[in-house]
């Protein structure tokens, strides 16, 4: 049997990480990997997470299974964090998943189960794993234009034009905030126009929200998903705790199915539990329990929110520093978009050849599509990157 297997394409980001590790240069800079790093290059365990883990270690008496959909208290806490009071709790089915990727995968499985002929419209570009999983699951994928390579902002008119080609029952995959890989995001008016189009054409929105709190703030970053959830008849939401709680390896995510028909909640909840059972039975609990403890404890939540805000402001400061340094070097404001983008990533909008030139000449590692991880920088490496960008002719 095994002899029939074929080599699978290497993950480009993981391959880039290996190249970085193998590079002997002491001044190399890693802007490729999609994790937050502080100024010392460390992905820290957040203070509230450490405190919650210590408390859990003292109080937890069992490691028995929790439930197919995970702990309901975790779902309640995450729903409140993401949706607030935008939708009544009785209209929301939810299940814990192994990370945000697990939530995305289970959402695609639900789409195929509910409507095998549905197409999924994804932004061009989008997180590569969206496309990989859709292909593996066997769902037809259609791209819609999103990133304007001239302005490095959202090409909104083109996006709307392409979405008009979707048919009733098709799914539109949207990034809730901090678009990956571009960093360019919809504003409130644009969200409202997208919602009007979704409802006019009978399209199903699916929102992937993995960076809440990394953009404009916890509440501000939830604006789009709350508008959609409160305005559309049916919505799928895939959420991740990897970034905003810093628990990457704990694999903590949540899938929500929102319906304006409260009578559908029971069926939707049973379906999410069924899909979990077919895939991995019981989702991981450790990370979910820590998140629940933090969100339900006033002191822990305040400390978590404060550290998250420090992280957000630090990335905004690096963005502004890089944009200012590039303006100083070029005498132009054409890199001002870097300061306007939000989240960990910005897409420079240059060629793979120039990205490779920066790697060879300067030891700067970023994804070939020119996505750079702002959190991989610090105050000392920003001028190095800026000079490399100018020298490469970006």
């Amino acid at each position: 049997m095994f002899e029939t297997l074929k080599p699978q394409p290497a993950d480009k980001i993981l391959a880039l990480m290996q190249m970085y590790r193998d590079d002997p240069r002491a001044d190399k800079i890693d802007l490729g990997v999609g994790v937050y790093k502080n100024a010392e290059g460390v992905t820290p365990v957040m203070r509230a997470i450490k405190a919650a883990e210590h408390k859990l270690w003292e109080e937890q008496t069992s490691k028995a299974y929790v439930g197919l959909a995970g702990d309901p208290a975790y779902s309640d806490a995450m729903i409140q964090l993401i949706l607030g009071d935008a939708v009544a709790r009785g209209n929301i089915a939810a299940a814990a998943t192994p990370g945000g990727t697990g939530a995305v995968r289970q959402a695609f499985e639900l789409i195929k189960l509910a409507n095998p002929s549905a197409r999924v419209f994804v932004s061009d570009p989008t997180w590569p794993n969206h496309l990989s999983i859709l292909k593996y699951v066997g769902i037809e994928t259609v791209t819609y234009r999103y990133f304007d390579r001239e302005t490095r902002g959202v090409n909104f008119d083109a996006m709307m034009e392409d979405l008009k080609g979707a048919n009733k029952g098709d799914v539109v995959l949207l990034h809730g905030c901090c678009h990956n890989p571009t960093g360019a995001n919809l504003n409130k008016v644009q969200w409202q126009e997208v919602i009007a189009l979704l409802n006019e054409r009978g399209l199903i929105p699916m929102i992937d929200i993995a960076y809440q709190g990394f953009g404009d703030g916890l509440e501000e970053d939830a604006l789009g998903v709350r508008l959609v959830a409160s305005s559309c008849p049916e919505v799928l939401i895939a959420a991740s705790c990897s970034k905003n709680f810093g628990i990457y390896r704990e694999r903590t995510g949540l899938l929500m199915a929102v319906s304006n028909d409260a009578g559908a909640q029971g069926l939707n909840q049973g379906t999410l539990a069924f899909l979990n059972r077919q895939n991995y039975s019981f989702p991981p609990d450790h990370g979910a329990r820590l998140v629940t403890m933090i969100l339900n404890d006033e002191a822990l939540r305040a400390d978590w929110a404060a550290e998250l805000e420090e992280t957000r402001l630090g990335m905004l400061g690096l963005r502004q520093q890089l944009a200012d340094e590039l303006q100083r070097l070029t005498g132009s404001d054409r890199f001002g978009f870097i300061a306007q983008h939000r989240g960990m990533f910005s897409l420079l909008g240059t060629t793979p050849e120039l990205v490779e030139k920066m790697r060879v000449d300067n030891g700067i590692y970023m994804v070939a599509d020119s996505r750079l991880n702002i959190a991989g920088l610090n105050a000392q490496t920003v001028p190095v990157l800026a000079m490399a960008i100018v020298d490469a002719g970006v």
Side-chain angles (χ1 to χ4, degrees):
M1 178 177 70
F2 293 154
E3 70 275 6
T4 67
L5 296 176
K6 298 178 181 179
Q8 299 300 315
D11 185 285
K12 294 178 181 178
I13 296 178
L14 297 181
L16 187 72
M17 290 169 59
Q18 186 60 52
M19 290 175 65
Y20 176 82
R21 286 191 290 266
D22 293 342
D23 190 331
R25 288 175 285 188
D27 58 351
K28 61 188 177 181
I29 302 175
D30 178 13
L31 305 178
V33 65
V35 299
Y36 169 77
K37 295 181 181 180
N38 61 21
E40 290 72 45
V42 175
T43 303
V45 179
M46 297 181 80
R47 297 185 300 264
I49 289 290
K50 276 191 170 293
E53 283 190 310
H54 184 76
K55 186 177 182 181
L56 183 64
W57 178 77
E58 289 183 325
E59 297 178 356
Q60 192 171 51
T61 58
S62 176
K63 293 288 186 181
Y65 294 129
V66 175
L68 288 176
D71 184 357
Y74 167 65
S75 293
D76 289 344
M78 284 293 290
I79 288 169
Q80 182 60 37
L81 176 68
I82 296 167
L83 292 178
D85 298 324
V87 180
R89 179 64 180 90
N91 292 66
I92 307 168
T97 60
T101 303
V104 168
R105 173 62 184 267
Q106 295 297 73
F108 292 158
E109 295 281 6
L110 186 150
I111 291 166
K112 188 159 188 182
L113 182 67
N115 184 4
S117 64
R119 301 176 296 170
V120 174
F121 281 65
V122 300
S123 63
D124 179 18
T126 191
W127 181 47
N129 220 19
H130 286 152
L131 301 173
S132 177
I133 298 172
L134 283 164
K135 180 179 179 181
Y136 186 79
V137 173
I139 295 177
E140 183 180 351
T141 307
V142 183
T143 59
Y144 59 87
R145 286 171 290 173
Y146 183 83
F147 187 64
D148 188 324
R149 292 189 174 271
E150 292 298 320
T151 66
R152 271 72 161 188
V154 177
N155 190 348
F156 187 68
D157 289 343
M159 173 185 177
M160 294 292 283
E161 182 180 341
D162 288 351
L163 290 181
K164 289 175 183 176
N167 300 323
K168 184 178 181 179
D170 283 341
V171 176
V172 177
L173 178 54
L174 301 160
H175 296 227
C177 64
C178 306
H179 186 276
N180 179 8
T182 70
N185 300 289
L186 301 175
N187 60 38
K188 182 177 181 180
V189 172
Q190 290 170 333
W191 274 111
Q192 291 170 331
E193 290 188 35
V194 169
I195 289 167
L197 186 145
L198 293 171
N199 289 337
E200 176 188 333
R201 301 194 65 81
L203 309 178
I204 311 297
M206 173 181 163
I207 300 179
D208 186 352
I209 183 164
Y211 302 94
Q212 186 181 358
F214 268 35
D216 291 308
L218 279 168
E219 292 298 303
E220 294 83 354
D221 289 348
L223 170 68
V225 67
R226 290 176 182 178
L227 285 173
V228 173
S230 61
S231 305
C232 296
E234 295 179 344
V235 185
L236 290 170
I237 303 168
S240 170
C241 298
S242 294
K243 281 77 177 179
N244 54 6
F245 286 88
I247 49 175
Y248 298 86
R249 68 178 63 170
E250 300 298 350
R251 310 313 301 133
T252 307
L254 187 78
L255 175 60
M256 290 175 260
V258 182
S259 173
N260 64 2
D261 176 10
Q265 195 272 351
L267 176 61
N268 293 344
Q269 188 64 52
T271 301
L272 295 183
F274 168 81
L275 290 172
N276 272 11
R277 184 60 164 168
Q278 308 318 304
N279 197 335
Y280 40 75
S281 281
F282 301 93
D285 179 70
H286 184 73
R289 195 155 297 273
L290 298 177
V291 168
T292 307
M293 292 170 68
I294 290 169
L295 293 179
N296 289 331
D297 182 286
E298 186 175 346
L300 288 177
R301 182 169 184 148
D303 190 38
W304 164 72
E307 187 170 1
L308 180 60
E309 181 68 359
E310 293 167 11
T311 297
R312 184 185 77 85
L313 293 176
M315 287 189 289
L316 287 181
L318 290 169
R319 286 187 175 281
Q320 191 63 57
Q321 184 189 356
L322 180 57
D324 289 346
E325 183 66 10
L326 284 164
Q327 184 176 39
R328 185 185 71 81
L329 292 172
T330 65
S332 165
D333 62 358
R334 65 190 181 92
F335 290 100
F337 65 87
I338 294 173
Q340 300 303 315
H341 287 173
R342 288 293 182 268
M344 287 204 305
F345 305 118
S346 272
L347 198 66
L348 284 180
T350 191
T351 65
E353 290 76 19
L354 291 184
V355 170
E356 176 66 6
K357 179 176 173 58
M358 286 188 281
R359 185 190 71 80
V360 172
D361 294 350
N362 307 100
I364 292 172
Y365 285 77
M366 66 178 75
V367 183
D369 65 1
S370 75
R371 184 194 83 170
L372 63 91
N373 181 359
I374 294 293
L377 293 167
N378 59 44
Q380 287 69 47
T381 56
V382 164
V384 178
L385 172 62
M387 183 60 72
I389 290 173
V390 173
D391 288 346
V394 174

